Amino acid sequence: MEMPAERGKHAWRDDILAGRNRLSTADHDAEALALAETITTLLSVPVGPGPATVAAYVPVRGEPGDLRMLDALTGAGATVLLPVTGEPGPLSWAVYTGAEHLVRRRFGLREPGGPVLPPAALAEADVILVPALAVDRRGVRLGRGAGYYDRSLDLASPAARLIAVVRDAELVPALPEEPHDRRMGWALTPNAGFTPLGAAGGPS
């Protein structure tokens, strides 16, 4: 996707959302399967002395991926944390224990129905999969503008791997950046898999 970085974030969002809306159900499903097949390579190199903890999310509204990505992670032995939305501020979290335990909550999002963990639980995550509309080669991420992740990532461990999940066309040369933006270390796309961004050396 070639658009100048000087374009404002609103223009970028409009164009990317329009592109996602044009994607067929079959193509979205194929991309989701590719992400699910790639995601467990995250765990091919140990990230600590015990099983990995991965903060993820349930894709909605045309976002790349689906529940197969989460099931692949839990099947590989990871503990998966999902966000629980509330008032504006850092996200709370809950452990993903399967699709049957997800309930619809604020904004129509599917969230775990189990115990809610405080925002500080994000510090336990070895890997954080971050929803994005786009990410650039420097690691600058474009979100939807609500600011939940901008506030939450300040609580992440400095050692956590920050990975933006986007479609291949949404990995772009340059995006507008603001001082509060937290840069990503990697992009995960359906066809290219993991791509290091900025000075990152890769997900291993």
Side-chain angles (χ1 to χ4, degrees):
M1 182 177 295
E2 295 293 336
M3 291 187 286
E6 305 84 63
R7 290 169 58 97
K9 287 187 176 183
H10 289 297
W12 275 97
R13 289 185 182 108
D14 288 346
D15 286 334
I16 293 166
L17 289 171
R20 288 185 176 184
N21 288 337
R22 290 192 296 268
L23 190 68
S24 71
T25 300
D27 285 342
H28 182 276
D29 186 71
E31 291 186 356
L33 178 60
L35 288 171
E37 291 175 342
T38 300
I39 196 72
T40 54
T41 62
L42 271 175
L43 310 180
S44 60
V45 176
V47 293
T53 296
V54 179
Y57 60 95
V58 178
V60 295
R61 299 191 296 273
E63 291 175 334
D66 58 20
L67 292 180
R68 286 174 290 186
M69 189 163 62
L70 307 183
D71 291 333
L73 287 168
T74 57
T79 296
V80 175
L81 301 177
L82 296 182
V84 176
T85 53
E87 297 303 318
L91 293 160
S92 298
W93 302 88
V95 176
Y96 174 66
T97 56
E100 66 275 20
H101 298 132
L102 295 177
V103 296
R104 291 208 178 268
R105 289 189 170 149
R106 195 173 188 179
F107 309 124
L109 300 176
R110 298 170 72 189
E111 301 175 354
V116 176
L117 305 174
L122 186 61
E124 301 301 317
D126 305 293
V127 176
I128 304 175
L129 301 177
V130 185
L133 291 176
V135 67
D136 74 17
R137 296 285 177 175
R138 301 169 298 161
V140 177
R141 166 184 166 268
L142 179 70
R144 291 181 179 268
Y148 281 102
Y149 273 89
D150 290 328
R151 298 180 182 98
S152 299
L153 291 176
D154 286 341
L155 301 173
S157 166
R161 304 168 183 169
L162 303 184
I163 302 172
V165 183
V166 293
R167 300 187 63 234
D168 289 87
E170 296 161 1
L171 174 55
V172 301
L175 288 166
E177 184 176 20
E178 297 180 31
H180 65 267
D181 290 336
R182 177 78 176 268
R183 290 194 181 190
M184 304 290 102
W186 297 269
L188 170 59
T189 69
N191 293 314
F194 290 101
T195 300
L197 306 173
S204 63

